[in-house]
């Protein structure tokens, strides 16, 4: 079993291709004739609920066409049993999940305390040569250019500050895991998963202002799809191309397993209890709405990031509305503001907001 998980979460030099959104041709001609169009007759895009958003997003991730098939076909039933056998319950070796820096749980706890000093943080980071190199690399970039060269780890730690260190450590740890999701079913899945992680974290922090811990909100967004990266590699290994586009029910079942793997990964990585509970609530959202503040925020931010990427990649219209009955219980006005903020930050024409 350990071998399976090593294959799922690791990759020998994955080839990740960016998704480029093509500009619409004939823009000037279109704008010139706009006045002749009766906008009142243009039908509004149908509202999407959580299930609709999930289905479209994961088809985008897998490079898969839409399907009108709802119920599972017999080959899919057999494949789901195989996937459950590999991933269900506690039948996989937790220790075979990708290793994070041994100091990470302790470092995250230390960074959460505003009383932690630079000397103590530098001493802890100093135990991991890879993190030391990353801290020094980031602080020596043009963004942190100072009058005097940064020659000590303690100086670099102080320059980054608590917030900068939290973000740097999380990016350094999670980005390779998510971008390592490559394969025939999802040649650009790794980049899309990472783009989703960044945008989910950003939207979550907007929605959680004044309610949830900013870093826990950020962390929940970043790790929310860590398990689906493993799911992609598993599908690539196990599913025959002759299966074709997945039925809605089979794809939903794959997502359920991926969410379960994300939860198991968070437990194994000893992430904060609130983050673990939010991931658990998101996994169970179809049957029971989230109760915790972070759980509600994560569910809303997850779908906002999905909508953003679907729009940027031409799968839906930009202004596609959401259903009014929100499972997350958040204010529709507040969620729309977060959506607008997300577009301002990441809605560039290249699809990645950078």
């Amino acid at each position: 079993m350990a071998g399976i998980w090593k294959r799922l979460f690791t990759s020998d030099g994955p080839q990740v291709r960016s998704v480029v959104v093509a500009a619409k041709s004939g823009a000037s001609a279109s704008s010139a004739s706009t006045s002749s169009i009766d906008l009142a007759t243009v039908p509004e895009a149908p509202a999407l609920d959580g299930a609709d958003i999930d289905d479209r997003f994961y088809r985008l991730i897998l490079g898969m066409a839409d399907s009108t098939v709802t119920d599972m076909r017999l080959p899919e039933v057999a494949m789901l049993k195989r996937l459950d056998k590999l991933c269900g319950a506690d039948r996989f070796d937790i220790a075979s999940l990708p290793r994070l820096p041994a100091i990470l749980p302790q470092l995250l706890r230390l960074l959460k305390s505003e009383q932690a000093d630079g000397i103590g943080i530098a001493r802890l980071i100093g135990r991991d040569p890879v993190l030391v190199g990353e801290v020094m690399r980031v602080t020596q970039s043009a963004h942190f250019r100072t009058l005097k060269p940064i020659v000590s780890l303690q100086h670099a730690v102080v320059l980054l500050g608590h917030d900068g260190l939290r973000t740097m450590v999380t990016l350094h740890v999670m980005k390779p895991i998510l971008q390592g999701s490559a394969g025939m079913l999802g040649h650009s899945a790794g980049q899309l998963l990472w783009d989703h992680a960044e945008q989910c974290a950003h939207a979550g922090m907007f929605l959680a202002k004044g309610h949830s811990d900013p870093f826990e909100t950020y962390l929940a967004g970043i790790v929310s799809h860590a398990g689906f990266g493993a799911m992609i590699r598993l599908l690539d290994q196990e599913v025959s191309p002759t299966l074709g586009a997945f039925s809605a029910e089979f794809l939903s079942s794959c997502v359920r397993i991926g969410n379960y793997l994300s939860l198991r990964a968070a437990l194994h990585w000893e992430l904060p209890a609130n983050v673990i509970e939010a991931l658990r609530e998101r996994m169970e959202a179809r049957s029971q709405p989230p109760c915790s503040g972070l759980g509600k925020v994560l569910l809303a931010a997850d779908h906002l990031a999905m909508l953003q990427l679907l729009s940027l990649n031409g799968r839906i219209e930009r202004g596609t509305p959401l259903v009014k009955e929100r499972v997350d219980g958040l204010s529709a006005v507040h969620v729309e503001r977060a959506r607008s903020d997300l577009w301002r930050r990441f809605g560039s024409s290249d699809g990645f907001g950078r």
Side-chain angles (χ1 to χ4, degrees), residues 276-291:
I276 291 171
E277 182 60 23
L279 291 172
R280 188 190 310 279
E281 290 182 341
R282 187 193 62 156
M283 183 179 69
E284 299 170 349
R286 291 285 181 90
S287 58
Q288 181 178 346
C291 297

Side-chain angles (χ1 to χ4, degrees), residues 223-298:
V223 305
S224 59
H225 286 290
F228 199 74
M231 195 66 207
I232 290 171
R233 296 188 64 79
L234 183 59
L235 291 170
D236 194 42
Q237 295 166 13
E238 299 289 335
V239 174
S240 169
T242 59
L243 194 62
F246 296 167
S247 67
E249 186 180 358
F250 180 69
L251 180 56
S252 178
S253 297
C254 292
V255 172
R256 171 182 55 80
I257 295 174
N259 288 340
Y260 173 71
L261 298 183
S262 295
L263 175 62
R264 296 292 293 174
L267 287 164
H268 180 60
W269 294 334
E270 300 179 49
L271 298 186
N274 289 338
V275 173
I276 291 171
E277 182 60 23
L279 291 172
R280 188 190 310 279
E281 290 182 341
R282 187 193 62 156
M283 183 179 69
E284 299 170 349
R286 291 285 181 90
S287 58
Q288 181 178 346
C291 297
S292 70
L294 184 52
K296 295 176 181 179
V297 163
L298 177 61

Side-chain angles (χ1 to χ4, degrees), residues 39-48 317 319-324 336 339:
L39 296 180
T41 66
V42 178
E44 182 178 317
L48 297 179
E317 294 297 325
T320 298
L322 301 173
V323 292
K324 296 180 180 179
E336 283 299 334
R339 189 178 184 181

